[in-house]
Amino acid sequence: MPSYNEIEDFLQDPSFVEWASGNEDFFWSSWIAAHPEKQELVRQARQLLIAVQDQEPDIRDEEINREVRRFIELARERKTVRRRKLLIRWGAAAALVLLLLGGAVVLYRFPASETTPLAGAKLEEKINDSDRDLTFSLSDGTRVTLRKKSRLVYPTQFNTSFREVTLEGDGFFDVAPNREKPFLIYADETVVRVIGTRFWVETRETDVRVSVRSGKVSVFDAKEFKREYTREGAGRDLKGVVLLPNQQATFTLETRQLQKGIVEHPEVIATNPDELTVEDRPVTEVFRQLEKMYGINIEFDEKRLKGCPVTVAFTTEGLFEKLQLICEIIGARYETVDGQVIVSGNGCQPAHE
């Protein structure tokens, strides 16, 4: 996320403006708790926004719009612009125009809504300073496992419309189901949203990775998530990646790109998986059986491969080893794309050495 080294860095974030204006936001409460060295900057930025609320409240909409347009035009015409501030209060919303070197930034304080993540509970934290995994339960029954040098900030009780926590490091979550209160994990530049499922969240220097064991998980760019949830119709246009068992999403911090894939070692998710010892069976049936075992979609040309019989007995091989062996038998190849397996080949000719 942004470095927040200047007051303006905070003022350019609509969710900070919302929080600083008196609406408690769990993300900012936990972020400040995790960054005590930024408290003075936060205090100054918050005081500035509080001052906005003390300004004359009777400024009309057209006056605000006219001033905003004037400042933007001025910024475009001049290569070097001195920093100026326009502090305006407008009913339930405040507009703050900052002229910075080389451009103009328009900020709005959005009115609070029921869909804005809020938190009024006391925050607690768990830090794993040991060399072993640390497992504990949250008030809703969710089980969390932290790897060493990892930290979780969470409320004592989940009393709002969201169950929100902030993770630094790596954590495994077995989330207690509750459709009325989605579970949100803020991890570096991502937001993970779930109802009830089991998954890992791993934060590293260059990326954040979410991998799912069971259930369904949605992963979002934190910047997009906060922007959508600070406006009317919150979340309606929110775009993210939906993950199913044995799928993962990697968010690259530098490019802010979310990439969907398959976990390195897929696990069998079928309750009673069939034994994969087949004799002279169509390969299409074997692929469908693998889909059920691992919950991963396998795409292939049904017409081209339906006449290809295979005889194979698997023991402890993983999914990718199974696929590789099958493809060698029928002279095909496979690749993983966007969280699924794509098999391509010309028919039933075995691969040449």
Side-chain angles (χ1 to χ4, degrees):
M1 61 187 305
S3 57
Y4 295 106
N5 291 323
E6 302 290 341
I7 292 177
E8 288 80 2
D9 296 336
F10 293 95
L11 299 181
Q12 292 178 43
D13 191 322
S15 67
F16 177 83
V17 175
E18 173 73 17
W19 171 80
S21 300
N23 297 287
E24 290 197 48
D25 186 323
F26 181 83
F27 174 83
W28 282 107
S29 298
S30 58
W31 187 91
I32 293 168
H35 299 83
E37 74 280 2
K38 304 289 187 180
Q39 289 184 3
E40 179 59 24
L41 282 176
V42 170
R43 184 188 66 80
Q44 294 177 16
R46 194 171 189 178
Q47 284 184 342
L48 178 59
L49 287 170
I50 291 174
V52 171
Q53 299 180 1
D54 295 331
Q55 301 299 312
E56 176 60 45
D58 297 327
I59 298 177
R60 295 176 299 175
D61 294 3
E62 55 267 28
E63 294 179 27
I64 294 176
N65 294 332
R66 183 169 59 251
E67 287 298 307
V68 169
R69 288 194 299 270
R70 183 173 69 84
F71 279 122
I72 291 176
E73 289 301 321
L74 180 61
R76 288 174 178 171
E77 294 172 1
R78 300 174 61 180
K79 293 183 179 179
T80 303
V81 182
R82 291 179 300 174
R83 182 178 301 172
R84 303 175 64 182
K85 296 182 178 67
L86 175 65
L87 301 179
I88 301 173
R89 177 156 182 205
W90 172 31
L96 176 61
V97 180
L98 298 178
L99 290 190
L100 306 176
L101 293 178
V105 179
V106 182
L107 303 179
Y108 294 95
R109 172 191 157 208
F110 296 92
S113 69
E114 293 182 358
T115 54
T116 302
L118 304 174
K122 178 182 178 182
L123 299 181
E124 296 187 3
E125 70 173 6
K126 288 282 188 182
I127 301 176
N128 187 3
D129 292 325
S130 69
D131 292 330
R132 297 182 178 181
D133 290 349
L134 173 65
T135 300
F136 56 96
S137 296
L138 304 182
S139 61
D140 65 334
T142 293
R143 296 281 291 173
V144 181
T145 299
L146 295 180
R147 286 178 177 160
K148 64 179 181 179
K149 297 182 180 179
S150 298
R151 176 175 181 265
L152 189 77
V153 179
Y154 57 96
T156 305
Q157 297 290 330
F158 294 110
N159 296 323
T160 62
S161 57
F162 291 94
R163 295 174 289 168
E164 300 170 292
V165 301
T166 296
L167 173 69
E168 295 178 7
D170 301 340
F172 180 78
F173 295 82
D174 187 350
V175 177
N178 187 339
R179 291 189 174 276
E180 301 300 321
K181 288 188 176 184
F183 198 95
L184 299 180
I185 301 172
Y186 299 95
D188 209 327
E189 293 279 349
T190 63
V191 177
V192 181
R193 184 182 188 275
V194 301
I195 301 298
T197 183
R198 300 169 63 240
F199 57 96
W200 274 103
V201 179
E202 301 167 284
T203 61
R204 295 171 289 192
E205 290 186 4
T206 59
D207 58 42
V208 178
R209 177 173 295 176
V210 180
S211 52
V212 179
R213 290 272 187 88
S214 65
K216 182 187 294 186
V217 171
S218 299
V219 184
F220 306 96
D221 181 331
K223 186 176 181 180
E224 294 290 331
F225 187 89
K226 288 191 293 180
R227 180 167 63 241
E228 288 299 320
Y229 273 90
T230 52
R231 68 178 185 84
E232 188 176 354
R236 184 176 302 168
D237 300 323
L238 191 59
K239 297 179 180 179
V241 171
V242 177
L243 302 177
L244 298 175
N246 285 323
Q247 292 182 334
Q248 68 181 23
T250 302
F251 181 81
T252 304
L253 300 179
E254 183 177 0
T255 61
R256 306 196 71 86
Q257 295 294 314
L258 266 171
Q259 184 175 3
K260 186 176 181 179
I262 298 176
V263 298
E264 185 176 358
H265 301 290
E267 298 182 357
V268 175
I269 65 170
T271 305
N272 296 304
D274 297 329
E275 291 185 4
L276 258 184
T277 299
V278 297
E279 183 175 352
D280 201 30
R281 284 179 55 189
V283 70
T284 53
E285 293 183 10
V286 180
F287 284 147
R288 295 304 181 207
Q289 192 172 350
L290 287 174
E291 283 184 323
K292 293 179 181 179
M293 289 179 64
Y294 292 93
I296 295 175
N297 186 48
I298 301 177
E299 292 288 337
F300 55 89
D301 190 324
E302 183 91 26
K303 183 177 180 180
R304 181 170 292 180
L305 298 181
K306 67 179 181 180
C308 298
V310 294
T311 297
V312 63
F314 293 116
T315 54
T316 60
E317 295 87 351
L319 172 62
F320 297 131
E321 294 171 303
K322 292 182 176 77
L323 288 170
Q324 183 62 37
L325 181 55
I326 293 172
C327 286
E328 289 177 357
I329 292 174
I330 65 174
R333 61 184 180 277
Y334 79 91
E335 60 181 333
T336 61
V337 179
D338 196 30
Q340 61 183 351
V341 174
I342 308 295
V343 177
S344 57
N346 295 322
C348 306
Q349 297 299 321
H352 296 290
E353 296 294 336

